Every structure is written in structure tokens, then in C-alpha cells.
Amino acid sequence: MVATGIIGTPMALAAETPVELLKPVTDSVSQLIQIKDDSSLSGFAKDEKELEARLNIVKDVLKLSTDEIAKLQERLKRLPLFDDKSREKILKTEYQKSLDDFSIYYADVSKKLDNVKTNDDAKELAEDLKNYRDTTYNPEIKKIANFTILFYAADIVKTGKARLNKISEDISRLEKLGYLKTGVFADKLKKAKTLLDDADKLQQEAAAIILAVPKEADETVATVTEQATGATNTTTDEIKIVEEPKDPGDLTSQSLKNVKDTYDIFLQIGKDLKKYLGLK
């Protein structure tokens, strides 16, 4: 059913949008299904209710999309100032334009709703909207979301490292004063450091992918062919295995999970410290 497939699974909708924000769309889809399955309705009455339900789905998706665009536009505005010729500045400018283009497209679709008079018209509009989201909107939104979260995540990792240094210094001071047995927190501190170091590496790896300058198609083919065959004069037919590129969003998510796990260790250290020091 075209209407139920409009939403798609962009990164921002699938991973960031709370369930309650998706509820209007899912409710409208459920309503359409109920109407289509309602044997007590027929003829004009059924067509009229079905059309209303289809239009509600499109309206709900449009609102969800425009809200998503607005949030990403605000995130882009809050990013640090970049040098004019930097890769970050180039991407930020490109993504701002993409979001502006998306806003124009959805505003145009919204205007077309007034001309939808039949279920066939609604189906056609829904199909166009779904195709646009699948081929144009969703892939770009995922890139923009990854780009904006990159800098937030980098700050989180940096803050975590600063916190670890402070805790380590405080514990070292208490050990020297004789309030703590030397090395009592060594394992926990080591684990926290490993988690944060790995988080930093994951973040750098994600940044390298997100900020990479795209290669020309011919250059990409030549490079991959050369790596796969060990030769410089080969054809694409000689490529046997090309490693699937990593998803920078997954790398960033794992990085943030590492930081979360680190703060769990910090909390446990705090509880243990109170016990050792006889504090409540």
C-alpha cells in the first residue's frame, strides 16, 4: 500500500524521532486500513472516508518532515564557526541549501493537496512523495544528521576525558594522603580510559568518513582496482571484493555508548569512594 510506505526510514525518523511524534502518522495509517476493511461502508461514502484518511497521512508526513527540517536547520546554525575554505564550511553550506530545497518541495506538495479530489489522485501524490523521500530526502537527511551530531559527540568525548583526568587526580591525591589504598580504583580507571580512547578513535573515524572529499568516479574505480589487484593497469572486472563502507552514524553511536559506559563507571567510583571514606 503506497500510503503506508510514505514515511520511509531516514536516520532522523528511525533513530531520533520519539514514538509519540510518529503517532499521528501511524494512527492515520491505521485509520485507512480500518476504512478499507470496513464492509459496512461502500460506494461514495467509503471513497470519501478513504480519501480523507489518505490525505491525513500525507499531511502528517509533511508536518513530521518540516519539523525535522527545522530541527536540523537549527542544529546547523549552532555549529562552530568554520574557516571559509574548510571542508566543514563547504558541507554546512551544502546542507543548508539542501534543507532549503526540501522545505520548498514540501511546501509545493502541501499546495497540491487542494487539488486532490479522488483516491487515485491521492495515491499518485503519495507515490511521488514516497519516491522523493526514498531517493532524495532520506539519504541527504541521514548525511546532515550525521554531520551535525559529529561535533556534539566530539565535545562529549572531550568532556568525558576531562572528567576522567579530574577523577584520577582526586583519587591520586587521596591515595597520597592515606585515605585510600593505592591502586584500589586502578582497574576502573583503566577501563574508563580504554572506553574513552576507543570513543575518540571511533569519532575520528566517523569524522574522516563524513568530511571526506568525494573522489571522481573514474578515480575511485582505479584506486579500488589497484588496491584489490595490486596492479595499476587493470579493469573493473578484476575487482573481486570491495569492503562495505562503514556507516559514520553507527561509529558515532558506538562512540557515545562508550562515553555513557564510562559515566556509569564514574558513578560507581563515586559510590565506592563514599564507602571507603565513610560518607553517606
Side-chain angles (χ1 to χ4, degrees):
M1 184 184 298
V2 172
T4 59
I6 296 176
I7 303 175
T9 55
M11 184 267 198
L13 285 182
E16 294 183 355
T17 305
V19 174
E20 60 268 21
L21 293 184
L22 288 170
K23 192 173 185 301
V25 180
T26 55
D27 285 349
S28 293
V29 171
S30 297
Q31 182 183 27
L32 174 60
I33 294 173
Q34 289 174 6
I35 292 171
K36 289 177 70 66
D37 293 341
D38 190 347
S39 58
S40 68
L41 292 172
S42 62
F44 178 77
K46 186 167 188 174
D47 287 343
E48 190 175 45
K49 285 184 175 295
E50 185 176 327
L51 176 59
E52 181 182 3
R54 289 183 184 279
L55 291 178
N56 284 339
I57 293 173
V58 174
K59 290 176 183 178
D60 290 337
V61 172
L62 289 177
K63 184 180 186 308
L64 198 62
S65 300
T66 53
D67 288 348
E68 183 175 57
I69 290 169
K71 289 177 182 178
L72 288 174
Q73 286 174 326
E74 184 60 30
R75 289 186 189 179
L76 285 175
K77 289 180 182 178
R78 293 202 304 263
L79 290 179
L81 294 176
F82 303 120
D83 293 337
D84 288 340
K85 295 183 179 181
S86 68
R87 180 63 178 160
E88 290 88 343
K89 178 66 173 181
I90 292 172
L91 286 176
K92 180 180 178 181
T93 302
E94 288 180 359
Y95 292 151
Q96 286 173 324
K97 183 180 183 306
S98 292
L99 292 175
D100 289 340
D101 290 343
F102 294 152
S103 294
I104 293 172
Y105 173 81
Y106 286 126
D108 184 57
V109 173
S110 182
K111 292 178 182 178
K112 290 181 179 179
L113 287 173
D114 294 333
N115 298 321
V116 175
K117 305 300 182 183
T118 68
N119 277 294
D120 285 340
D121 290 340
K123 290 177 184 178
E124 182 178 353
L125 182 61
E127 179 68 23
D128 290 343
L129 179 57
K130 179 182 183 300
N131 290 338
Y132 180 80
R133 289 178 64 82
D134 288 345
T135 61
T136 303
Y137 180 79
N138 290 352
E140 188 73 354
I141 283 293
K142 183 174 182 179
K143 290 180 182 178
I144 298 172
N146 284 340
F147 179 74
T148 57
I149 200 173
L150 177 66
F151 303 95
Y152 162 79
D155 286 342
I156 293 296
V157 173
K158 183 178 179 181
T159 300
K161 286 192 169 187
R163 180 62 177 160
L164 174 61
N165 289 336
K166 178 66 169 60
I167 291 174
S168 298
E169 290 173 0
D170 289 345
I171 288 176
S172 178
R173 189 177 299 111
L174 289 171
E175 288 176 343
K176 291 178 180 178
L177 292 173
Y179 289 109
L180 289 176
K181 181 180 178 181
T182 301
V184 68
F185 288 112
D187 289 343
K188 286 186 174 63
L189 293 175
K190 182 179 179 180
K191 184 176 181 180
K193 184 179 185 305
T194 298
L195 284 168
L196 288 174
D197 286 345
D198 288 345
D200 197 10
K201 291 176 182 177
L202 289 165
Q203 199 57 31
Q204 291 180 29
E205 190 174 356
I209 297 172
I210 292 171
L211 302 177
V213 178
K215 295 181 179 180
E216 295 295 333
D218 292 343
E219 181 183 351
T220 302
V221 169
T223 301
V224 175
T225 301
E226 187 174 334
Q227 292 176 346
T229 64
T232 56
N233 297 317
T234 55
T235 66
T236 55
D237 293 336
E238 294 175 281
I239 302 176
K240 302 300 181 182
I241 299 176
V242 177
E243 183 179 350
E244 186 74 18
K246 294 181 179 179
D247 186 329
D250 292 341
L251 294 172
T252 300
S253 295
Q254 183 58 52
S255 176
L256 291 174
K257 182 180 183 304
N258 279 20
V259 176
K260 178 184 177 299
D261 292 343
T262 301
Y263 273 84
D264 289 340
I265 293 175
F266 292 164
L267 288 173
Q268 188 58 52
I269 288 176
K271 292 178 181 179
D272 292 343
L273 263 176
K274 289 182 179 180
K275 292 179 181 179
Y276 284 121
L277 298 177
L279 302 175
K280 292 185 179 180

